[in-house]
Amino acid sequence: MKRLIQIMWQWVMHFWVPLAITVGMLSVAISFTIVLLVKQQSTVQIPNITIRTGAGIKYAEVGVLKRGEHLNILKRSHGWVQVRREDETTGWAPSWLLNRKTPVKYMGSLSEATVVLDPGHGGSDSGALSIDQKHFEKNYTLQLAQRVKTVLEKDYGTHVIMTRSTDQIVYLSKIPKIAEQKQADLFISFHFDSAPENNEASGYTAYYYNAGNGSKSLAQNINNVMKPAMPITNKGVEVGDFWVIHHNTVPAVLLENGYINSAKDFSYIRSAKYQKYIAKKVPMGLQNYLTQAAKSNQ
């Protein structure tokens, strides 16, 4: 009996250990395969997602995805994915919309866009100062950009990239490159103006530099939607030789949203109501620009 137990134990040690290792390796391989398969599949959670011939809003539309559709993911490029539908047709769609579970209030081309928001200044660069020298431009540009980001993401489903999200300095030479590296569709830089003397000037201005790439039209569309109810003077659309828009290859504007060293303007700049108004209107201007650009390209 003792001999039999020894033989059985030797058999177990001889065969069971390799068998256990093999089973373990197979389990890992199967799990890894399942994970890969899941990553290569997607179920559409929200309706009316446009699919295009290429990875970007400049490509032609080839269809609209419906909620509940099952897709196979074929390729990925700069936030877009190429998908195969159940009818075997293919197209490209924004990954952020395919991953979204809550409905988009204003579904359109802006939902498919990547927008870079640049809160001017930051960190050791305080920007312009209020009359009492206690309030810094950098803080209000960040507040405003964050409000715009919230509206874009929540209501329009836009893919938003911030050049900064905290009180940090981002060097001017790097800012335009962010838009280019991320293959952004639009770029908006937020600022507040300052005059040589306190209370010497008032108003807001939309600046562009490169008229040929759509920047002038973008500035005009934003200015047009903002001016009807703005409580400060509309100074219109002007050419501005600012680094972040001069050296930007995507449609880019710089918005001066009031004079921080004007008592009148600053009373609005610091108010949530004023910031929310701008945050509501800027996306409308962006959507109008994209609609206009799409028509001109037809």
Side-chain angles (χ1 to χ4, degrees), residues 22-167:
T22 302
V23 170
M25 291 177 67
L26 281 172
S27 299
V28 171
I30 291 169
S31 299
F32 184 69
T33 302
I34 291 172
V35 169
L36 286 178
L37 287 173
V38 169
K39 284 187 175 181
Q40 300 306 314
Q41 295 179 340
S42 179
T43 301
V44 181
Q45 302 292 324
I46 61 174
N48 303 321
I49 300 176
T50 299
I51 56 174
R52 299 179 179 272
T53 57
I57 59 175
K58 294 179 181 178
Y59 290 91
E61 298 180 13
V62 292
V64 178
L65 299 175
K66 299 177 182 179
R67 181 166 45 200
E69 277 196 59
H70 299 292
L71 309 171
N72 286 324
I73 297 173
L74 306 177
K75 294 180 184 178
R76 300 176 187 270
S77 177
H78 298 285
W80 286 65
V81 292
Q82 186 185 36
V83 298
R84 179 184 289 117
R85 306 176 72 178
E86 294 172 342
D87 62 3
E88 296 301 316
T89 59
T90 62
W92 290 81
S95 61
W96 56 91
L97 292 181
L98 291 181
N99 295 333
R100 187 181 176 105
K101 296 182 180 179
T102 57
V104 175
K105 189 174 183 180
Y106 305 114
M107 180 69 85
S109 52
L110 186 54
S111 309
E112 304 171 75
T114 295
V115 177
V116 173
L117 302 181
D118 173 44
H121 310 285
S124 59
D125 177 12
S126 64
L129 303 177
S130 61
I131 292 175
D132 62 7
Q133 307 286 293
K134 294 180 180 180
H135 299 275
F136 305 148
E137 179 186 0
K138 66 175 184 176
N139 296 331
Y140 294 99
T141 59
L142 183 57
Q143 285 180 14
L144 180 56
Q146 287 173 332
R147 291 187 190 277
V148 175
K149 177 179 185 287
T150 297
V151 174
L152 283 171
E153 291 180 336
K154 181 180 178 182
D155 293 347
Y156 291 84
T158 309
H159 180 213
V160 178
I161 297 168
M162 299 277 284
T163 59
R164 69 180 180 97
S165 298
T166 59
D167 184 17

Side-chain angles (χ1 to χ4, degrees), residues 184-202:
D185 300 290
L186 304 167
F187 174 95
I188 318 292
S189 187
F190 296 94
H191 288 262
F192 295 98
D193 225 329
S194 180
E197 299 293 333
N198 293 333
N199 296 313
E200 185 180 45
S202 173

